[in-house]
Amino acid sequence: MIQFSNVSKFYDEQIVLKDISFNIEKGDLVYLTGPSGSGKTTLLKLVYRAEHPDDGQILVAGWDVAKLRQKTIPFLRRNVGIVFQDFRLLPNKTVFDNIAIALRIQGLDPRLINEKVNDALNDVGLKHKSHALSQHLSGGEQQRVVIGRAMVSKPTVLLADEPTGNLDVETADIVIKLFKEINARGTTVLIATHNRELFMTSGRRVIFLRDSAIEKDIIP
Amino acid sequence: MIQFSNVSKFYDEQIVLKDISFNIEKGDLVYLTGPSGSGKTTLLKLVYRAEHPDDGQILVAGWDVAKLRQKTIPFLRRNVGIVFQDFRLLPNKTVFDNIAIALRIQGLDPRLINEKVNDALNDVGLKHKSHALSQHLSGGEQQRVVIGRAMVSKPTVLLADEPTGNLDVETADIVIKLFKEINARGTTVLIATHNRELFMTSGRRVIFLRDSAIEKDIIP
Amino acid sequence: MRAFLYSCQIAFKNLVVERWINLLTILSISVGLLLFTSYLTITLNIDTVIKRWGTGFGMVVYLGDGLSMETEESIKELLKQDSDILELKYVSSDEALKELREVLGSRSSILDSMEANPLPSSFELKLKRETLTPIYIEKKAARIKEMTGVEDVQYGEKWLSSLNTISVVMRVIAVLLGAAIFIAIAFITYSTIKVLFYRRKDEIETLKLLGATRSFIKMPFLIEGLFIGGVSGVISALSLFGLYKFTVMKFVEFLPSIRGLLVSLPLEAYIAIPIAGALMSLTGSFFATGRIRY
Amino acid sequence: MRAFLYSCQIAFKNLVVERWINLLTILSISVGLLLFTSYLTITLNIDTVIKRWGTGFGMVVYLGDGLSMETEESIKELLKQDSDILELKYVSSDEALKELREVLGSRSSILDSMEANPLPSSFELKLKRETLTPIYIEKKAARIKEMTGVEDVQYGEKWLSSLNTISVVMRVIAVLLGAAIFIAIAFITYSTIKVLFYRRKDEIETLKLLGATRSFIKMPFLIEGLFIGGVSGVISALSLFGLYKFTVMKFVEFLPSIRGLLVSLPLEAYIAIPIAGALMSLTGSFFATGRIRY
Ligand SMILES: Nc1ncnc2c1ncn2[C@@H]1O[C@H](COP(=O)(O)OP(=O)(O)OP(=O)(O)O)[C@@H](O)[C@H]1O
Ligand SMILES: Nc1ncnc2c1ncn2[C@@H]1O[C@H](COP(=O)(O)OP(=O)(O)OP(=O)(O)O)[C@@H](O)[C@H]1O
Ligand SMILES: [Mg+2]
Ligand SMILES: [Mg+2]
């Protein structure tokens, strides 16, 4: 589902990812970890073509990402749900609208959108904040809105970048359980995180990045 | 140094902080914790007058915060270093400039600024990223810039909101050690965090918020 | 279609959210359009005045003494064939004398002492306004003078060239000023939409990352531009009309003789103002949103 | 002082960073100023032309037949005392006859048959331009006509009122158009700075939280506005001069008789353009940055 073959990425002269290869099968749930600045976010960005690889090939859900035409990129992204590390919420819009926008850009029926968004709000426990502006939310609440938005369109691939950084342990548990449910329904999930508690005892595959390369790739 | 007396805060009709009273002495290092949405950030905002209490009195470093005149607010804030939960970096400015701005607004001598900023960069381990634009940093790097900026002016009070949310364990340790050092030099430090590892074994005072009120206040 | 409706919704929400900037823009564009259309109205008025003066000027063709009726008739026929000549009036020497008497008024007694009428017969011509370039009229006069039986041709040479200069100056200014104002309006539209676009840059970045297509992103801005331009156009059309009515009122009060002389732009022009505004704004928006790259 | 230098630094960095918006603004303001100053130049020229024409019009005071030298002299004295009269020219009946002969040209033989000169002596007056309101001149003419020895007073009534109308129209338009353009420029400046301010809203929020004072936040915008306005002013002053030179060149090529007739704004006005631009922009910036609340 997500296949990297000898991918390298530079920012200016600095190398950020060096000759990365791995293959995540459809239906997998994989953790990605590594110290601050090791390239986790960059790796995720390559998956949804927010960055272009300097070398190598990336296949995502059958798309050859590096060769995608500009016009096709939106359609790749509609198949990829993303929990951004920096949230990227629309500050002046309500929680409801922030989640709904992921469906509106696809031109879905308003009633269907309403239904799906309410489900997502329930999932992340923000039903009561539905009409609050996203800029008036607490850090943890914002993070859950992002998670809701990433899930609501039932994407083929779900990427989550530090999804529990602003969450207390109980809420983090709920979120991880959500990811597992989504994964069980067939979505491929890739979670970048520093939170060792999440993956140490999970019994799932963990990819360790260090110094621009894959240090370890533990497949249980 | 930070004294809350029967402080309450509402957003619209919703109560966020209810009759909060505590007193943090000069030179203390205190943790503030509680579930997502329990009011930690709001409490910190009251300290630096980004929010105005609806009831009660707040004393910070001798200032009666709620009664401060508009013109005086900047001078309160110069005495308070803040690690914002949402970073609030200037995206188009370099790491150096982002830290230096805290001193420039005070009209310091450029050479002195240079010296102090370089010290701060060393402290947070970002010397090598000095000339990078802050929007080109990884999440963890950005968080460290914010920490550097909050410390650089050697404030009387240091407030840190979820300062390790985007950091790996090693870097988090370094940051916490930094806070302790600053604290040892006389700065009063208040850290809001979900990260139990930080405070559970620290032997420091921990204030627990829940449902808009102080649930526990453990003073060792 | 659903996407279009949603775009409209976003556009109007944005119009409300950014109401101050949008209001300022609408006002600026209105003022710009108003300036331009006022200028057109002024030009139209000056042109009308010049036309009125212009047609008042003509040529007098003096005939030789004692010409036969046939010769006079043949000259008349020749002049009639000239399509540049609008009106042709025969003034017999008797009529000319009567006119001179009138001009001299109480002093006309000097004419009584004369034996014969010394004044020649003449044709008074009115020329088509379009042909009033000095060189052209000079040539025509020379040609007419060569006709047999014609003794002299007189016309307001100096006057003609002055009026002609005014007319040319007006037209040149019209083009220069018109172009300048158009450019100014285009700039305002473009820069405002650009700025609105910039202001929502973060939002647009996010939408792009969520899989929004180009048209989804651009559409609200285009609708917004269309709306801003259209509203500005309506405002300036209404203001222009109000200003025209007000000016006419004030002028008539001040100089009653001007009543009925000030002309307004035709109705078509008033209808064209909002359409032109909307199209200009739309074009501005189109370029301002630019090429969206993923 | 250090804060001011730092503000300048920020202002110029921002000018470079936001170069497109700033360029657009500078261009818009330049065009606006250029429009206004072009209009002033045009008005000045039209006014000059009207003045030239206006002084060409005068009054003819016809004297009665057979007046004594003393009476004529006393009339002359009376007219000379009138400060509205610029020039006074005595035309004797003989001179008048000579002029009539010239006018009649080859047909002047009719005059030969007359026994006595039927034409009266007259004074040709030139009036001060400022007094050329139709009503005023009408009154003056009536007053002069009542003087003993004066038989009739003639003056270009119709012409006078036309010219007068043009002049009044020009002035009214000047005020209306001038005000409109000023408002438009003020809007552009204000809205651009407002927008620049909005665009850095997040940054400003952050600065406020870090303890920046109001003046620290506002200063760069004021400097930026001052700079934008000044540069716009310089650009439009230069363009105006270029445009003037170009127009004069083109016109002279087209109508050589116009050489030396087109006037330019005085040097002071050229110097005033950038200053006015800078001040307007500064005012715009000042209001755009508004009252900063913590
Ligand atoms: N747009 C960019 N331009 C230049 N350098 C960049 C850019 N984005 C990231 N980098 C650099 O690339 C390196 C990897 O960044 P990345 O964001 O992938 O790290 P990360 O593993 O996500 O770290 P964190 O855990 O702190 O979020 C960092 O050193 C960062 O400074
Ligand atoms: N500006 C605001 N307007 C309205 N409600 C707000 C505003 N800011 C915060 N809130 C609400 O107040 C409550 C407390 O928010 P606060 O940010 O203080 O929580 P927190 O303890 O910092 O949570 P987290 O750990 O998730 O950051 C939340 O329910 C939040 O939605
Ligand atoms: Mg990252
Ligand atoms: Mg918080």
Side-chain angles (χ1 to χ4, degrees):
Chain A
M1 189 49 78
I2 306 176
Q3 186 179 341
F4 275 51
S5 314
N6 309 103
V7 172
S8 294
K9 175 68 190 167
F10 295 81
Y11 281 125
D12 309 318
E13 297 294 88
Q14 188 207 349
I15 190 154
V16 181
L17 291 173
K18 191 167 63 198
D19 202 28
I20 303 285
S21 298
F22 62 83
N23 185 12
I24 296 176
E25 300 290 344
K26 183 167 160 53
D28 273 4
L29 187 155
V30 178
Y31 289 98
L32 177 67
T33 193
S36 176
S38 59
K40 301 180 294 298
T41 302
T42 306
L43 193 150
L44 297 185
K45 280 182 178 168
L46 289 170
V47 174
Y48 57 90
R49 248 298 330 247
E51 293 290 353
H52 196 274
D54 292 306
D55 203 7
Q57 196 194 35
I58 300 170
L59 294 176
V60 177
W63 314 75
D64 188 342
V65 173
K67 293 198 179 121
L68 234 48
R69 290 174 53 228
Q70 286 277 323
K71 276 190 168 247
T72 334
I73 293 175
F75 302 97
L76 161 72
R77 290 187 185 160
R78 291 182 187 184
N79 288 302
V80 182
I82 312 159
V83 179
F84 300 98
Q85 191 171 13
D86 51 359
F87 300 173
R88 292 194 166 275
L89 290 171
L90 311 179
N92 299 313
K93 294 222 185 316
T94 63
V95 169
F96 185 95
D97 283 341
N98 262 286
I99 297 182
I101 193 77
L103 302 173
R104 284 185 185 141
I105 56 173
Q106 300 188 24
L108 259 68
D109 181 73
R111 266 163 312 178
L112 192 63
I113 291 179
N114 208 48
E115 200 176 291
K116 287 189 173 215
V117 172
N118 279 321
D119 285 353
L121 282 170
N122 274 329
D123 284 347
V124 295
L126 283 176
K127 192 74 207 228
H128 62 294
K129 288 280 176 186
S130 169
H131 296 294
L133 294 185
S134 76
Q135 62 184 347
H136 289 167
L137 296 181
S138 82
E141 287 161 352
Q142 288 184 4
Q143 192 151 48
R144 284 179 277 157
V145 179
V146 186
I147 294 167
R149 183 179 64 186
M151 299 176 350
V152 74
S153 59
K154 306 248 179 300
T156 322
V157 173
L158 182 76
L159 307 175
D161 200 351
E162 208 65 71
T164 60
N166 286 282
L167 297 181
D168 53 291
V169 184
E170 294 85 20
T171 321
D173 280 349
I174 295 171
V175 166
I176 292 297
K177 244 170 69 189
L178 256 175
F179 286 149
K180 286 182 181 158
E181 270 173 45
I182 296 164
N183 175 243
R185 279 187 243 134
T187 296
T188 309
V189 181
L190 178 57
I191 305 172
T193 186
H194 293 115
N195 195 338
R196 287 187 198 175
E197 289 175 38
L198 292 190
F199 56 81
M200 277 318 208
T201 58
S202 70
R204 303 282 185 154
R205 178 175 173 191
V206 185
I207 300 174
F208 290 84
L209 283 183
R210 185 176 292 271
D211 297 336
S212 325
I214 294 181
E215 186 191 26
K216 295 184 278 186
D217 188 350
I218 300 174
I219 309 177
Chain B
M1 189 49 79
I2 305 176
Q3 187 178 341
F4 275 51
S5 314
N6 308 102
V7 173
S8 294
K9 174 69 190 167
F10 294 82
Y11 281 124
D12 308 317
E13 298 293 270
Q14 188 207 347
I15 191 154
V16 181
L17 292 174
K18 191 166 62 199
D19 201 27
I20 301 284
S21 297
F22 63 84
N23 186 11
I24 297 175
E25 299 292 343
K26 184 167 160 52
D28 273 4
L29 187 155
V30 178
Y31 289 97
L32 178 67
T33 193
S36 175
S38 59
K40 302 181 293 298
T41 302
T42 306
L43 192 151
L44 298 185
K45 281 183 178 167
L46 289 170
V47 174
Y48 57 90
R49 247 297 329 247
E51 293 291 351
H52 197 275
D54 291 306
D55 202 7
Q57 195 193 37
I58 300 169
L59 295 175
V60 177
W63 315 74
D64 188 344
V65 172
K67 293 197 178 123
L68 235 47
R69 288 176 53 230
Q70 285 277 323
K71 277 192 169 248
T72 334
I73 293 174
F75 302 97
L76 160 72
R77 291 187 184 161
R78 290 181 187 184
N79 287 303
V80 182
I82 312 159
V83 178
F84 300 99
Q85 190 171 12
D86 51 359
F87 300 173
R88 292 193 167 277
L89 290 172
L90 311 179
N92 299 312
K93 294 222 185 316
T94 63
V95 169
F96 185 96
D97 284 341
N98 262 286
I99 296 181
I101 193 77
L103 302 173
R104 285 188 184 138
I105 56 174
Q106 299 187 25
L108 259 68
D109 181 73
R111 267 163 311 177
L112 192 64
I113 290 179
N114 209 47
E115 202 176 290
K116 288 189 172 213
V117 172
N118 280 321
D119 286 352
L121 281 170
N122 275 327
D123 284 347
V124 295
L126 282 176
K127 192 74 208 226
H128 63 293
K129 287 280 176 186
S130 169
H131 297 294
L133 294 184
S134 77
Q135 63 184 346
H136 289 167
L137 296 180
S138 81
E141 287 161 352
Q142 289 184 3
Q143 191 150 50
R144 283 179 278 158
V145 178
V146 185
I147 294 167
R149 182 180 64 187
M151 299 176 351
V152 73
S153 59
K154 307 252 179 296
T156 322
V157 173
L158 182 76
L159 307 175
D161 200 353
E162 207 65 69
T164 60
N166 286 281
L167 297 181
D168 53 291
V169 184
E170 294 86 19
T171 322
D173 279 350
I174 296 171
V175 165
I176 292 298
K177 247 170 68 188
L178 257 175
F179 286 149
K180 286 180 181 159
E181 272 173 43
I182 296 165
N183 176 244
R185 278 188 245 135
T187 296
T188 308
V189 181
L190 178 56
I191 305 171
T193 186
H194 293 115
N195 195 338
R196 288 187 199 175
E197 289 174 38
L198 292 190
F199 55 80
M200 276 320 207
T201 58
S202 70
R204 304 283 185 154
R205 177 174 172 191
V206 185
I207 299 174
F208 290 83
L209 283 183
R210 185 176 292 273
D211 296 335
S212 324
I214 295 182
E215 185 192 27
K216 294 184 278 187
D217 188 350
I218 300 174
I219 309 177
Chain C
M1 189 56 210
R2 191 173 286 143
F4 178 74
L5 280 179
Y6 184 64
S7 296
C8 286
Q9 214 176 310
I10 294 182
F12 286 100
K13 213 177 270 173
N14 285 338
L15 279 166
V16 174
V17 171
E18 316 258 16
R19 56 188 167 280
W20 293 116
I21 296 187
N22 286 321
L23 221 67
L24 282 174
T25 310
I26 289 178
L27 277 170
S28 304
I29 298 180
S30 302
V31 171
L33 282 173
L34 185 61
L35 275 179
F36 185 66
T37 49
S38 303
Y39 180 76
L40 284 185
T41 309
I42 293 166
T43 310
L44 186 69
N45 273 289
I46 296 186
D47 227 54
T48 310
V49 168
I50 288 186
K51 240 175 221 164
R52 216 163 272 175
W53 287 350
T55 48
F57 282 85
M59 231 178 232
V60 184
V61 177
Y62 292 104
L63 303 177
D65 274 339
L67 285 184
S68 66
M69 282 288 271
E70 290 85 59
T71 322
E72 285 188 357
E73 270 306 309
S74 75
I75 292 171
K76 191 174 183 178
E77 276 313 303
L78 273 171
L79 291 174
K80 262 192 179 164
Q81 276 164 28
D82 189 333
S83 61
D84 288 331
I85 294 165
L86 275 184
E87 271 181 47
L88 183 65
K89 192 181 149 203
Y90 178 74
V91 180
S92 70
S93 58
D94 292 347
E95 284 164 343
L97 189 63
K98 228 169 91 192
E99 273 180 30
L100 184 59
R101 262 181 216 283
E102 273 167 26
V103 170
L104 291 175
S106 60
R107 282 178 296 286
S108 66
S109 51
I110 51 161
L111 299 173
D112 297 340
S113 57
M114 288 183 292
E115 293 138 21
N117 179 358
L119 297 177
S121 305
S122 62
F123 285 110
E124 285 182 19
L125 314 182
K126 276 194 183 167
L127 299 175
K128 256 198 199 152
R129 156 92 188 113
E130 292 84 57
T131 61
L132 281 176
T133 72
I135 307 123
Y136 189 91
I137 290 191
E138 214 168 285
K139 277 188 190 153
K140 183 167 290 293
R143 228 173 327 112
I144 293 173
K145 203 171 177 178
E146 276 168 13
M147 286 159 81
T148 44
V150 173
E151 199 173 284
D152 200 6
V153 178
Q154 282 188 3
Y155 56 97
E157 291 104 316
K158 280 199 177 169
W159 243 114
L160 206 57
S161 95
S162 296
L163 268 191
N164 211 58
T165 308
I166 295 180
S167 176
V168 169
V169 170
M170 287 299 309
R171 265 148 220 275
V172 171
I173 291 169
V175 172
L176 290 180
L177 218 67
I181 290 183
F182 251 89
I183 291 169
I185 294 179
F187 269 134
I188 295 174
T189 325
Y190 175 84
S191 71
T192 303
I193 300 286
K194 188 99 206 162
V195 152
L196 288 177
F197 194 72
Y198 270 138
R199 277 193 65 183
R200 275 180 253 144
K201 212 177 172 186
D202 288 347
E203 195 175 325
I204 289 163
E205 258 339 287
T206 303
L207 290 178
K208 275 155 64 179
L209 290 175
L210 295 177
T213 54
R214 282 173 177 160
S215 59
F216 184 90
I217 292 170
K218 286 189 109 173
M219 195 67 80
F221 292 98
L222 299 184
I223 295 170
E224 219 172 318
L226 203 69
F227 180 84
I228 288 177
V231 169
S232 307
V234 170
I235 290 176
S236 64
L238 292 178
S239 320
L240 181 69
F241 190 71
L243 204 66
Y244 168 75
K245 282 284 170 206
F246 177 80
T247 312
V248 168
M249 205 183 74
K250 279 283 151 205
F251 266 55
V252 165
E253 191 174 283
F254 184 67
L255 279 173
S257 67
I258 213 142
R259 185 190 300 278
L261 276 178
L262 292 175
V263 292
S264 157
L265 289 183
L267 184 63
E268 291 83 1
Y270 275 101
I271 294 171
I273 295 170
I275 295 173
L279 287 181
M280 274 161 47
S281 258
L282 184 65
T283 316
S285 314
F286 187 80
F287 285 106
T289 51
R291 202 168 133 62
I292 289 168
R293 291 198 59 82
Y294 289 97
Chain D
M1 190 55 210
R2 192 173 286 142
F4 178 74
L5 280 179
Y6 183 65
S7 295
C8 285
Q9 215 176 309
I10 293 181
F12 286 100
K13 213 176 271 172
N14 285 338
L15 279 166
V16 174
V17 170
E18 315 258 14
R19 56 189 167 281
W20 292 116
I21 295 188
N22 286 320
L23 220 68
L24 282 173
T25 310
I26 289 177
L27 278 170
S28 304
I29 298 179
S30 302
V31 171
L33 282 173
L34 185 60
L35 273 178
F36 186 64
T37 50
S38 302
Y39 180 75
L40 285 184
T41 311
I42 292 167
T43 310
L44 186 69
N45 274 289
I46 296 185
D47 229 52
T48 311
V49 168
I50 288 186
K51 241 175 219 163
R52 214 163 274 175
W53 286 351
T55 49
F57 282 85
M59 230 179 232
V60 185
V61 177
Y62 292 104
L63 303 176
D65 275 340
L67 285 184
S68 66
M69 283 288 269
E70 290 86 60
T71 321
E72 285 188 357
E73 270 305 312
S74 74
I75 292 172
K76 190 175 184 176
E77 277 314 305
L78 274 170
L79 291 175
K80 261 190 180 164
Q81 277 163 27
D82 189 331
S83 61
D84 288 331
I85 295 166
L86 276 184
E87 269 180 49
L88 184 63
K89 192 181 151 203
Y90 178 73
V91 181
S92 70
S93 58
D94 291 347
E95 283 164 343
L97 190 62
K98 225 170 92 193
E99 273 181 30
L100 184 59
R101 261 180 215 283
E102 273 166 27
V103 170
L104 290 176
S106 59
R107 283 177 297 283
S108 63
S109 52
I110 51 161
L111 299 172
D112 297 340
S113 58
M114 288 184 292
E115 293 139 22
N117 178 358
L119 297 177
S121 304
S122 62
F123 284 108
E124 286 181 19
L125 314 181
K126 277 193 182 168
L127 299 175
K128 258 199 199 151
R129 156 92 188 114
E130 293 85 58
T131 61
L132 281 177
T133 71
I135 305 123
Y136 189 91
I137 291 193
E138 213 168 285
K139 279 188 188 151
K140 183 167 291 291
R143 228 172 328 111
I144 294 175
K145 205 172 175 176
E146 277 169 10
M147 286 158 82
T148 43
V150 172
E151 198 172 285
D152 200 5
V153 177
Q154 283 188 2
Y155 56 98
E157 292 104 314
K158 281 199 177 168
W159 243 113
L160 206 57
S161 94
S162 295
L163 269 190
N164 211 61
T165 308
I166 295 179
S167 176
V168 169
V169 170
M170 286 299 308
R171 266 148 219 274
V172 171
I173 291 168
V175 171
L176 290 181
L177 218 66
I181 290 181
F182 251 87
I183 291 170
I185 294 178
F187 269 135
I188 295 173
T189 325
Y190 175 84
S191 71
T192 304
I193 300 287
K194 188 99 207 163
V195 153
L196 288 177
F197 194 73
Y198 270 138
R199 278 192 64 184
R200 276 181 251 143
K201 211 177 174 186
D202 288 346
E203 196 174 325
I204 288 164
E205 255 344 284
T206 303
L207 290 178
K208 275 155 61 179
L209 290 175
L210 294 177
T213 55
R214 282 173 178 160
S215 60
F216 184 90
I217 292 170
K218 284 190 112 172
M219 194 67 79
F221 292 98
L222 299 184
I223 295 170
E224 218 172 318
L226 203 68
F227 180 85
I228 288 178
V231 169
S232 306
V234 170
I235 290 176
S236 64
L238 292 178
S239 320
L240 182 68
F241 189 70
L243 204 66
Y244 169 73
K245 282 284 168 206
F246 177 80
T247 312
V248 167
M249 206 184 73
K250 278 283 151 206
F251 267 53
V252 164
E253 190 176 285
F254 185 67
L255 280 172
S257 67
I258 213 144
R259 185 190 301 278
L261 277 178
L262 292 175
V263 292
S264 157
L265 289 182
L267 184 63
E268 291 82 2
Y270 275 100
I271 294 170
I273 296 170
I275 296 173
L279 287 181
M280 274 160 49
S281 257
L282 184 64
T283 316
S285 313
F286 187 80
F287 284 106
T289 50
R291 202 169 133 61
I292 289 168
R293 290 197 59 82
Y294 289 96

